[in-house]
Amino acid sequence: MTTRQMSLCAFLLRHGHHVAAWRHPDTDLVAPPFAVYRELVEKAERAALDAVFFADSVALTGAPSLEPITLLSALAAVTERIGLIATATTTYNEPYHVARLFASLDSISNGRAGWNLVTSDNAAEAANFGRDRHVEHGQRYVRAREFHQVVDGLWRSWEEGAFVNDKAAGKLLDPGRVRQLDHQGEHFRVAGPLNVPPSPQGRPLVVQAGSSEPGRALAAATADVVFTAQPSLAAAQAFYRDMKERVVQQGRTAHSLRITPGIFAVVGKTEGEARDKFATLQGLIEPQAGLALLGRMIGNFDLSGYPLDGPLPALPETADGQRSRQQLLTQLAQGENLTIRQLYERIAGGRGHLTVVGTAAQVADQMQLWFENEAADGFNLMPPTLPGGLDDLLELVVPELQRRGLFRTAYDSSTLRGHLKL
Amino acid sequence: MTTRQMSLCAFLLRHGHHVAAWRHPDTDLVAPPFAVYRELVEKAERAALDAVFFADSVALTGAPSLEPITLLSALAAVTERIGLIATATTTYNEPYHVARLFASLDSISNGRAGWNLVTSDNAAEAANFGRDRHVEHGQRYVRAREFHQVVDGLWRSWEEGAFVNDKAAGKLLDPGRVRQLDHQGEHFRVAGPLNVPPSPQGRPLVVQAGSSEPGRALAAATADVVFTAQPSLAAAQAFYRDMKERVVQQGRTAHSLRITPGIFAVVGKTEGEARDKFATLQGLIEPQAGLALLGRMIGNFDLSGYPLDGPLPALPETADGQRSRQQLLTQLAQGENLTIRQLYERIAGGRGHLTVVGTAAQVADQMQLWFENEAADGFNLMPPTLPGGLDDLLELVVPELQRRGLFRTAYDSSTLRGHLKL
């Protein structure tokens, strides 16, 4: 029985992570979205997961969904312990708004808020914010770094003792303990202080997912948790070691940054059942959806004119932050001589993340291998379908991890930072 | 028994509307804010009020509080019927964000969201968004009008039949029924469509509170409800008639815009008890807080150098949208020969709104008088203290209005537009 425990989050998309999940017979397309999410998150809380995690985009990409901060605020009112992590872009936002929203969510949830800080890499987002072209990648990270600095500064507006609450003396606040920020930088000038009272965590958890050079540098300087796509143990180990070195170079402890790769797991009671489940999903991929997904992942390149059963064409090098993903997929296609169809089938589920199709024991074996060999401090669970794919993870895989002593059986703290021992 | 029914909302501030409410013995300063609001809103729902209403500012002005959209999203999950109206400024926001947040709140709440569209009139807000000076008043309204146009356009992204949900055919959306906005205006370029699915109301309720000329023009063109500060029956009637004329000139029915003045009511079982309650609150005003409130209301003018028991000095005409309020207060001080102290005492509760101190019958008399004489279609209730001031309104005044047939005894619809018969 090991004392080191895995971090486990559930990464929930509207219909599940497989690109054809919405076509699965069990997927409910007409239920009110909040009711669907509420049931899923209540289940994740019964399994004592650290958090639920929601992606975001400020443009329509695929199926429409709820805005994550409103969704998590509503979920905060009907849950007690599970952490609530929402994505918010630094590219098309103002830090004062973002600082307020997460501070308020942290107060409402009694200390369970997390901010997944991203830069936007989707050109369609630019067009909703008055720009003809997307902000250039390097510049986005410069802005993101300063954005984080402002948000973090605003979260520190209230010194210990700022609230005097002395009715008799007529003194509510001690102005000497309220920190004016007076930030003046390249991208932002923000006076502060924040107008939300201090929350139970003080500063909500900060999550980041960038794998590029500036993304890694930003995460090493500022993040508590890194979410990452790693297809193999060797790649995950290289990433893990690089990030732990970077964080130590920043003067932080290696322990203060948690590395959590995504895992796309199709789970069956037998290996055969798992393979059948996966084959069913793969059979539901429409070529158009597969091409669109692949096109987005190789740098917004339109593949519709190329034969499905021919090779991937030579691609123009993408100018923005999708270069590492583009290279990964190009190398995969060349190395295994894959057609366009075979390539989109390969990413239709896990999108480049660790993918396991098998029994709970087989999935747990992989997770344990990564966890015990400097590849992961935990995982972001990516259910293929909802609710069935999440049920399989929570009812089959999590109990197996608990039997192995790798994951707690009940919460032992009340805040998200507490669950992660940060 | 009249068939026309009042609209009634509860306007909740952190500690109540009286400037000294936080010093009242019953005010809980340390309870978690969400728990406090939850209890208040559950009470308002038991009284079948149309909605709760939250103000907002993107700077610290007075006591810090929760951000209203996260707060209302959380409240949506623990209430069933009451409408949820949050303020969001058009001056320091982007329309794509605002459209998403309210569409998402409307989905989560099953059709109970309302947006109080304001322009920022507080200079401190500018400094949190990279500006040295506040945006000029007229320009703010030009921007607000275009902002509303974009938000409203984004809320109309989904035509009937846009969601095909045909799993067998592999067709989720019908792209021909998804409306691209492609807005290109002076202040905004927004491509759309919105990435939140259609909500039960389709378009959340739009509330406005401007009383200036451009504020009235904007409300007549775009609002469903106007919230207004009117100190007397005659003033309220003049405003009511002006707004109804304007809305008809816009080609809308007079009925399609509801005029709801605020009412600050201190209620007692006897008139004497009410007067005692009010005197207690007035006795708790610290001069510094009174001066700060008065200074903000006359156009951010610093009064701290003037003798409290001397007259109001001649004021520079305020350049922004506070001119009508400044004139109102200057005339009040001159007309009744009030000192600075007497003037801030006069506004310490109602801030220029209808103020009634008396029994439930006396308060209901005033409301009925305004309601039946073209001064109001309903009221925004401003409790002096919380929770006591709200309890008095819900337990004493609302039942009196129900006995008179002026307000329903239970909800007869499920959406906010439904409650207001809009």
Side-chain angles (χ1 to χ4, degrees):
Chain A
M1 178 107 176
T2 172
T3 51
R4 180 167 164 256
Q5 298 280 293
M6 276 185 191
S7 303
L8 291 180
C9 295
F11 177 6
L12 302 178
L13 289 185
R14 180 74 183 88
H15 305 124
H17 280 268
H18 194 282
V19 73
W22 73 272
R23 297 184 71 191
H24 191 277
D26 295 347
T27 302
D28 186 339
L29 296 176
V30 295
F34 177 62
V36 171
Y37 284 124
R38 176 176 178 163
E39 204 176 314
L40 297 173
V41 174
E42 286 171 347
K43 282 178 185 176
E45 185 169 65
R46 284 196 291 275
L49 295 201
D50 291 334
V52 286
F53 177 99
F54 288 88
D56 192 42
S57 164
V58 284
L60 182 65
T61 53
S65 191
L66 297 176
E67 185 285 326
I69 299 175
T70 47
L71 171 59
L72 289 184
S73 299
L75 290 168
V78 293
T79 55
E80 296 276 334
R81 305 292 281 273
I82 195 162
L84 306 162
I85 303 172
T87 299
T89 181
T90 56
T91 308
Y92 301 115
N93 256 319
E94 289 281 342
Y96 200 86
H97 290 313
V98 169
R100 278 186 89 197
L101 291 166
F102 283 94
S104 193
L105 175 60
D106 204 53
S107 179
I108 291 167
S109 65
N110 291 314
R112 297 183 285 135
W115 171 32
N116 179 35
L117 180 170
V118 300
T119 71
S120 291
D121 67 356
N122 177 341
E125 299 182 281
N128 288 327
F129 295 87
R131 287 170 174 276
D132 293 321
R133 294 191 61 242
H134 199 55
V135 179
E136 184 270 319
H137 180 242
Q139 198 53 30
R140 289 206 304 271
Y141 274 93
V142 174
R143 179 180 164 105
R145 180 71 174 262
E146 189 182 333
F147 195 113
H148 172 271
Q149 194 186 341
V150 175
V151 168
D152 193 66
L154 290 168
W155 285 341
R156 297 170 192 265
S157 290
W158 311 102
E159 282 179 26
E160 192 72 35
F163 290 83
V164 182
N165 291 338
D166 188 337
K167 292 182 181 182
K171 193 166 182 179
L172 183 63
L173 290 171
D174 176 353
R177 292 173 191 246
V178 182
R179 284 207 195 111
Q180 195 76 12
L181 183 64
D182 286 329
H183 173 90
Q184 306 237 359
E186 183 190 345
H187 287 88
F188 305 108
R189 283 185 296 138
V190 180
L194 198 61
N195 59 357
V196 176
S199 63
Q201 287 190 123
R203 294 154 49 238
L205 192 81
V206 174
V207 182
Q208 274 167 57
S211 298
S212 66
E213 175 58 35
R216 291 181 193 211
L218 180 66
T222 63
D224 300 301
V225 172
V226 165
F227 173 42
T228 180
Q230 299 297 337
S232 69
L233 176 64
Q237 286 173 324
F239 180 80
Y240 186 97
R241 287 180 196 138
D242 177 62
M243 287 307 304
K244 295 285 180 173
E245 276 169 27
R246 286 173 186 259
V247 80
V248 170
Q249 277 162 18
Q250 291 284 332
R252 303 169 58 189
T253 66
H255 180 79
S256 70
L257 181 73
R258 300 304 167 87
I259 314 289
T260 61
I263 177 172
F264 175 85
V266 183
V267 190
K269 297 218 163 61
T270 63
E271 191 178 324
E273 188 189 287
R275 295 203 176 282
D276 288 347
K277 279 187 184 180
F278 189 47
T280 300
L281 279 168
Q282 293 289 85
L284 291 172
I285 307 169
E286 316 114 86
Q288 217 183 324
L291 282 176
L293 173 68
L294 180 56
R296 277 202 301 278
M297 291 189 63
I298 57 176
N300 296 309
F301 185 78
D302 183 5
L303 288 167
S304 57
Y306 298 87
L308 281 185
D309 298 309
L312 190 67
L315 297 170
E317 191 178 79
T318 173
D320 60 26
Q322 298 173 310
R323 197 171 303 159
S324 54
R325 217 156 46 176
Q326 186 192 52
Q327 281 170 353
L328 192 79
L329 292 170
T330 310
Q331 284 160 11
L332 178 66
Q334 286 166 351
E336 301 191 26
N337 211 13
L338 301 178
T339 65
I340 289 178
R341 189 197 304 271
Q342 286 165 334
L343 187 60
Y344 74 61
E345 284 179 354
R346 195 66 75 85
I347 59 165
R351 292 174 167 80
H353 289 264
L354 168 61
T355 296
V356 190
V357 179
T359 63
Q362 288 172 319
V363 174
D365 285 348
Q366 281 288 308
M367 293 170 76
Q368 185 167 2
L369 183 71
W370 285 39
F371 181 62
E372 292 179 346
N373 289 281
E374 298 200 321
D377 295 318
F379 294 90
N380 212 355
L381 306 172
M382 299 164 58
T385 58
L386 293 171
L390 183 66
D391 291 342
D392 291 341
L393 287 163
L394 299 179
E395 293 166 14
L396 302 174
V397 176
V398 169
E400 178 63 29
L401 295 169
Q402 288 167 331
R403 274 189 291 275
R404 298 182 187 191
L406 297 168
F407 188 66
R408 64 166 170 260
T409 53
Y411 291 108
D412 55 10
S413 62
S414 63
T415 67
L416 177 52
R417 285 184 181 275
H419 301 337
L420 288 158
K421 311 291 169 223
L422 283 166
Chain B
M1 176 105 177
T2 171
T3 51
R4 180 168 164 255
Q5 298 281 293
M6 275 184 192
S7 303
L8 291 180
C9 295
F11 177 6
L12 302 178
L13 289 186
R14 179 74 183 88
H15 304 127
H17 280 268
H18 194 281
V19 73
W22 74 272
R23 297 184 70 189
H24 191 276
D26 295 347
T27 302
D28 186 339
L29 297 176
V30 295
F34 177 63
V36 171
Y37 284 125
R38 178 177 179 163
E39 204 177 313
L40 298 172
V41 174
E42 285 172 346
K43 283 179 184 175
E45 184 169 65
R46 285 196 291 274
L49 295 201
D50 291 334
V52 285
F53 177 99
F54 287 88
D56 192 41
S57 163
V58 284
L60 181 66
T61 52
S65 192
L66 297 177
E67 185 284 328
I69 300 175
T70 46
L71 171 59
L72 290 183
S73 299
L75 290 168
V78 293
T79 55
E80 296 276 334
R81 304 294 280 273
I82 195 161
L84 305 162
I85 302 172
T87 299
T89 181
T90 55
T91 308
Y92 301 115
N93 256 318
E94 289 281 342
Y96 200 85
H97 290 312
V98 169
R100 279 186 90 198
L101 290 166
F102 283 94
S104 194
L105 175 61
D106 203 52
S107 180
I108 291 167
S109 65
N110 291 313
R112 297 184 284 137
W115 172 32
N116 179 36
L117 181 170
V118 300
T119 71
S120 291
D121 66 357
N122 177 339
E125 298 182 282
N128 288 327
F129 295 87
R131 287 172 174 276
D132 293 321
R133 294 192 60 243
H134 200 54
V135 179
E136 183 271 317
H137 181 243
Q139 198 54 26
R140 290 206 303 272
Y141 275 92
V142 174
R143 179 182 164 104
R145 181 71 174 262
E146 190 183 333
F147 195 113
H148 172 271
Q149 194 186 340
V150 174
V151 169
D152 192 68
L154 289 169
W155 284 342
R156 297 171 192 264
S157 290
W158 311 102
E159 283 180 23
E160 192 74 34
F163 289 84
V164 181
N165 291 338
D166 188 339
K167 292 182 181 182
K171 194 167 180 177
L172 184 63
L173 289 171
D174 177 354
R177 293 173 190 245
V178 181
R179 284 206 196 112
Q180 195 75 14
L181 182 65
D182 286 330
H183 174 91
Q184 305 238 0
E186 183 188 347
H187 287 88
F188 305 108
R189 284 184 298 137
V190 181
L194 198 60
N195 59 356
V196 176
S199 64
Q201 286 190 124
R203 293 155 49 240
L205 192 81
V206 174
V207 182
Q208 273 167 57
S211 298
S212 66
E213 174 58 36
R216 291 182 192 211
L218 180 66
T222 63
D224 300 302
V225 172
V226 165
F227 173 43
T228 180
Q230 299 297 336
S232 69
L233 177 63
Q237 286 173 322
F239 180 80
Y240 187 97
R241 287 179 195 138
D242 177 62
M243 286 308 303
K244 295 285 182 174
E245 275 169 26
R246 286 172 187 259
V247 80
V248 170
Q249 278 161 18
Q250 291 283 331
R252 303 169 59 189
T253 66
H255 180 78
S256 70
L257 181 74
R258 299 305 167 85
I259 314 289
T260 61
I263 177 171
F264 175 86
V266 183
V267 190
K269 297 218 164 62
T270 63
E271 191 178 325
E273 188 189 287
R275 295 203 176 281
D276 288 347
K277 279 188 184 181
F278 190 47
T280 300
L281 278 169
Q282 293 288 86
L284 291 173
I285 307 170
E286 316 113 89
Q288 216 184 325
L291 281 176
L293 174 68
L294 181 57
R296 277 201 302 278
M297 292 191 62
I298 56 175
N300 297 309
F301 186 78
D302 183 4
L303 289 166
S304 57
Y306 297 88
L308 281 185
D309 297 308
L312 191 66
L315 298 170
E317 191 177 79
T318 174
D320 60 25
Q322 299 173 309
R323 197 171 305 159
S324 54
R325 216 156 48 176
Q326 185 192 53
Q327 282 171 353
L328 194 79
L329 291 171
T330 310
Q331 284 160 9
L332 179 66
Q334 286 167 351
E336 302 192 25
N337 212 13
L338 301 179
T339 65
I340 289 178
R341 188 196 304 270
Q342 287 166 333
L343 187 59
Y344 75 60
E345 285 178 352
R346 195 66 75 87
I347 59 165
R351 293 174 167 77
H353 290 264
L354 168 62
T355 295
V356 190
V357 179
T359 64
Q362 288 172 319
V363 175
D365 285 348
Q366 281 289 309
M367 293 170 76
Q368 184 166 5
L369 184 71
W370 285 38
F371 181 62
E372 293 179 345
N373 290 281
E374 298 201 319
D377 295 318
F379 295 90
N380 212 355
L381 305 172
M382 299 163 58
T385 58
L386 293 171
L390 182 66
D391 291 342
D392 291 342
L393 287 162
L394 299 179
E395 293 166 15
L396 302 174
V397 177
V398 169
E400 178 63 28
L401 294 169
Q402 288 167 331
R403 275 189 290 276
R404 298 180 188 193
L406 297 168
F407 188 65
R408 64 166 171 262
T409 53
Y411 291 108
D412 55 11
S413 62
S414 63
T415 67
L416 177 52
R417 284 183 182 276
H419 301 337
L420 288 159
K421 311 288 169 227
L422 283 166

